[in-house]
Amino acid sequence: MDSRDVRRMLESMAATAHSAADEARGRMQSASQTISDKYDEAKLNLMLARVRGEQERVFADMGRTLFLMNTGNYPDDEAHPTAQQTIDRLLIAAEQKQQEIDRLLAKMHAVSGAVVCPFCGHRCEEDARFCAECGAKLAKGE
Ligand SMILES: [Zn+2]
């Protein structure tokens, strides 16, 4: 596994991310209907912190996988999933966490009117189109 392989894999990740998003969306649809309306902002903040932490661990796993590939240390045997399989699994997991975050943020907006960046958690102006902290596009401004 050399850096050319890593580059090729990164190129295929865009396509994988797209199908991962579709798959995660399908799985989330039923779950999103079960959440209760009773959560106040403090509870929502706790839940957001937990899900963000879980997503950060997924991102860390992705980084570690890419690093192991790039240094030729990713395990290359039958006992382990391939690097591509691992990355695919992590992309789906990250997408699921993002959809949980988006769902919680929508809930928070309904409860308190807060507009929070889905990517960095910065509390934004009500009419902002982009996050003042990280620059991400805010869905509400579309
Ligand atoms: Zn942000």
Side-chain angles (χ1 to χ4, degrees):
M1 181 80 61
D2 63 21
S3 62
R4 249 185 333 240
D5 294 319
V6 173
R7 213 170 308 131
R8 217 170 304 133
M9 205 202 69
L10 284 171
E11 282 163 11
S12 82
M13 278 170 65
T16 302
H18 191 73
S19 59
D22 285 345
E23 187 181 325
R25 252 188 295 283
R27 284 195 215 164
M28 286 303 295
Q29 261 161 15
S30 54
S32 66
Q33 286 154 6
T34 62
I35 191 162
S36 130
D37 288 329
K38 291 174 195 154
Y39 297 107
D40 60 17
E41 190 173 354
K43 274 185 194 163
L44 285 165
N45 269 321
L46 282 174
M47 291 168 76
L48 269 168
R50 179 178 55 77
V51 178
R52 283 192 198 284
E54 289 165 0
Q55 191 188 45
E56 286 303 319
R57 282 195 288 280
V58 174
F59 289 153
D61 284 348
M62 281 183 177
R64 190 180 308 109
T65 301
L66 286 172
F67 178 73
L68 289 174
M69 286 174 68
N70 203 37
T71 54
N73 289 313
Y74 188 88
D76 184 19
D77 59 53
E78 299 297 312
H80 292 87
T82 66
Q84 183 71 61
Q85 286 168 338
T86 298
I87 292 290
D88 284 354
R89 177 178 61 75
L90 292 170
L91 281 170
I92 290 168
E95 179 65 28
Q96 286 173 330
K97 295 301 171 195
Q98 190 62 48
Q99 289 178 16
E100 282 182 54
I101 289 168
D102 291 346
R103 190 160 48 84
L104 289 167
L105 289 178
K107 208 88 189 162
M108 184 177 289
H109 183 68
V111 166
S112 69
V115 177
V116 178
C117 174
F119 301 101
C120 76
H122 182 72
R123 197 174 177 129
C124 301
E125 295 295 321
E126 183 86 29
D127 57 352
R129 297 187 61 215
F130 297 94
C131 174
E133 186 70 21
C134 75
K137 192 171 185 179
L138 301 171
K140 229 187 132 265
E142 282 176 333

